[in-house]
Amino acid sequence: MLNFFIQTQLEKRRDYAVYFFEPGSDSAFSEKVRKLHKSDPATDQHAGERETSTLLYLRPDLVKMDSAKNPSGENLKRLPLSNLYTAIWWYANYPNHYAGEGAKATRELGQVITEHTIESLVKALKAAKTDTKTLQLQNEFFDRVDKLKK
């Protein structure tokens, strides 16, 4: 939805640009995560190993590791509808409201993820602060749209 929201900013001319940040990945970071990650990355979603590790690093006082295995975070696949999306899809797959293996989380993995995210955000903020091209192209786009209206 956030990508869609960004696109909607072209609905009308604006004197500002909206940026959406997603931390990138590089080979060194990916290798560190691969070495530390203990569960299947394909099933590591909400409250799984990565998110739980991040909380173990940032706020260990909020993590109850004794509850991380029970109940299961396995995808139960209770709604076998191909190519269809419903409002109940998450509950159908994950009735316990988490997906993955939070019990395999470590503070060390959380530190690697968090520090990489912070470094990526700092770089992104610096790039956004010095960016002049986005507004230039955005104005060019609307100038062309205005010419078509005439």
Side-chain angles (χ1 to χ4, degrees):
M1 287 301 288
L2 291 173
N3 288 336
F4 175 72
F5 169 74
I6 297 297
Q7 276 307 127
T8 67
Q9 298 309 292
L10 293 178
E11 171 203 15
K12 65 180 181 182
R13 187 182 293 267
R14 299 168 197 280
D15 61 355
Y16 60 88
V18 178
Y19 298 84
F20 173 56
F21 167 73
E22 286 186 289
S25 185
D26 57 51
S27 59
F29 169 71
S30 297
E31 184 60 21
K32 283 181 191 177
V33 169
R34 189 191 64 72
K35 286 180 179 178
L36 294 171
H37 206 275
K38 299 173 188 168
S39 65
D40 179 359
T43 61
D44 186 11
Q45 298 179 64
H46 179 57
E49 183 180 356
R50 285 178 70 109
E51 287 185 1
T52 304
S53 292
T54 301
L55 278 177
L56 282 173
Y57 176 62
L58 295 172
R59 290 293 308 269
D61 56 306
L62 298 178
V63 181
K64 298 176 183 171
M65 288 301 287
D66 55 327
S67 299
K69 284 186 180 179
N70 188 18
S72 170
E74 181 182 351
N75 183 346
L76 299 184
K77 302 175 185 170
R78 298 184 307 163
L79 193 62
L81 300 173
S82 296
N83 302 316
L84 295 171
Y85 178 84
T86 69
I88 201 70
W89 78 270
W90 178 262
Y91 177 76
N93 291 341
Y94 306 100
N96 299 319
H97 300 290
Y98 69 94
E101 298 181 69
K104 293 185 177 180
T106 63
R107 183 186 186 285
E108 186 179 12
L109 176 60
Q111 182 174 358
V112 168
I113 293 167
T114 301
E115 289 178 358
H116 173 74
T117 301
I118 291 167
E119 289 170 15
S120 296
L121 179 59
V122 167
K123 287 178 187 174
L125 289 171
K126 286 178 180 178
K129 286 181 79 166
T130 59
D131 176 34
T132 58
K133 198 68 171 172
T134 299
L135 277 177
Q136 177 188 347
L137 291 170
Q138 193 169 288
N139 287 329
E140 177 186 307
F141 171 81
F142 282 105
D143 289 346
R144 291 180 74 179
V145 168
D146 289 345
K147 285 181 185 176
L148 291 173
K149 290 180 182 176
K150 294 178 182 179

